[in-house]
Amino acid sequence: MSHPFETLTPDLVLDAVESIGFLSDARVLALNSYENRVYQVGIEDGEPLIAKFYRPQRWTNAAILEEHRFTFELAECEVPVVAPMIHNGESLHEHAGFRFTLFPRRGGRAPEPGNLDQLYRLGQLLGRLHAVGATRPFDHREALGVKNFGHDSLTTLLEGNFIPRSLLPAYESVARDLLKRVEEVYKDTPHQNIRMHGDCHPGNMMCRDEMFHIVDLDDCRMGPAVQDLWMMLAGDRQECLGQLSELMDGYSEFHDFDPRELALIEPLRALRLMHYSAWLARRWDDPAFPRSFPWFGTERYWGDQVLALREQLAALNEEPLKLF
């Protein structure tokens, strides 16, 4: 059976945008996105718009609208974020079986790894985001946890026969050992789940005209605040300590942070490693994935994963980063 996204042609994209009252100039540019499909669409006598088409059957309408409401809430509190456009009173639209949302076009560049001045400003921005996120919970979006990001990911990989037989015992063994250790650290580490970005890698914190803004809240969910912080750090332990200090100096201006959560950095990194492999496996029926990730399923990839999980298990037994 063909994948639903195979029917999402440029003509259908234009028809969808025009179905809610915009007149396109027939220019469509596919942007770099795999989970959903995102296009820049030219508009007659206006700035181009960004049209995001949601992956079918991933989120419920209630979950998507909850993401939108969180984004609007951030914008109302003057947190710089690219929010969905509201047209005819709606932010979520449907055309030919596809749900889609329009955004204003706002470019920018990703932060420079290890730039201390930028990390201070990113800390301020994340502190503002979490100050809003902590005011109430999500009702329709899942929380980040060891089961859904760890155990469920391992089940997907084992049951789907994605791991070469030669490496299956090694991968399963280290993955189970790693998850056991992650569970222990989670149990021993006090933390509070708040609404957070959820996929806060540097590419989702864009800088334009010397100002940072947040993009792509598609993965927002409940989780510990440190999940949105640790991906801002780069380099060896000593470098990360200096970066963490700058990041938290900015963050603490707007929101309190429990330093005990720093013990969750390596467990969260471990969960992200496993979840990424499972994400590729779950999307393998989408033709874009075999084309874009041809190395998935090779012995080299899984050999590297075994090594990465072993290194992560060792990292979990080291002293966590601390604020001074």
Side-chain angles (χ1 to χ4, degrees), residues 110-283:
E112 303 167 15
N115 184 306
L116 297 183
D117 176 64
Q118 289 188 348
L119 282 166
Y120 178 81
R121 289 185 287 150
L122 288 168
Q124 291 178 311
L125 180 53
L126 289 170
R128 295 170 67 189
L129 186 155
H130 289 172
V132 176
T135 58
R136 65 181 66 127
F138 282 133
D139 294 320
H140 302 285
R141 302 183 75 85
E142 67 178 9
L144 189 162
V146 181
K147 181 183 183 302
N148 57 356
F149 268 58
H151 290 289
D152 291 351
S153 295
L154 181 58
T155 297
T156 293
L157 296 171
L158 296 180
E159 293 183 351
N161 297 318
F162 292 98
I163 305 170
R165 286 188 179 182
S166 60
L167 292 166
L168 181 59
Y171 184 89
E172 183 175 3
S173 175
V174 69
R176 294 198 185 282
D177 289 345
L178 184 60
L179 288 174
K180 181 180 179 181
R181 184 72 183 112
V182 167
E183 286 181 327
E184 292 171 351
V185 178
Y186 248 80
K187 182 180 178 181
D188 293 340
T189 304
H191 62 279
Q192 179 184 2
N193 282 351
I194 63 172
R195 292 180 297 173
M196 57 167 189
H197 188 288
D199 189 28
C200 199
H201 58 77
N204 281 333
M205 309 287 284
M206 305 299 289
C207 185
R208 181 177 182 181
D209 299 327
E210 302 306 315
M211 295 289 292
F212 281 101
H213 59 270
I214 301 165
V215 300
D216 192 10
L217 281 152
D218 190 66
D219 283 297
C220 64
R221 65 190 70 232
M222 301 295 293
V226 73
Q227 168 64 12
D228 280 350
L229 298 169
W230 70 265
M231 280 186 279
M232 296 292 108
L233 309 178
D236 60 28
R237 181 183 179 86
Q238 202 59 39
E239 290 173 314
C240 286
L241 284 171
Q243 294 166 22
L244 179 64
S245 178
E246 288 296 319
L247 188 68
M248 297 313 304
D249 280 350
Y251 185 94
S252 60
E253 291 183 11
F254 295 94
H255 192 59
D256 292 332
F257 178 76
D258 185 346
R260 294 176 296 182
E261 282 194 14
L262 294 174
L264 293 179
I265 289 178
E266 296 308 329
L268 289 167
R269 194 192 310 274
L271 293 177
R272 187 172 178 86
L273 282 169
M274 295 185 65
H275 185 262
Y276 179 75
S277 293
W279 173 68
L280 293 174
R282 291 166 182 150
R283 300 294 181 254

Side-chain angles (χ1 to χ4, degrees), residues 5 8-10 13-14 26-34 36-42 49-53 288 291:
F5 275 146
L8 188 58
T9 62
V13 171
L14 293 174
R27 290 182 297 171
V28 180
L29 175 64
L31 302 181
N32 188 28
S33 178
Y34 296 105
N36 303 296
R37 294 294 188 269
V38 182
Y39 303 88
Q40 178 178 293
V41 179
L49 299 178
I50 304 301
K52 172 182 174 180
F53 289 79
R291 289 196 301 266

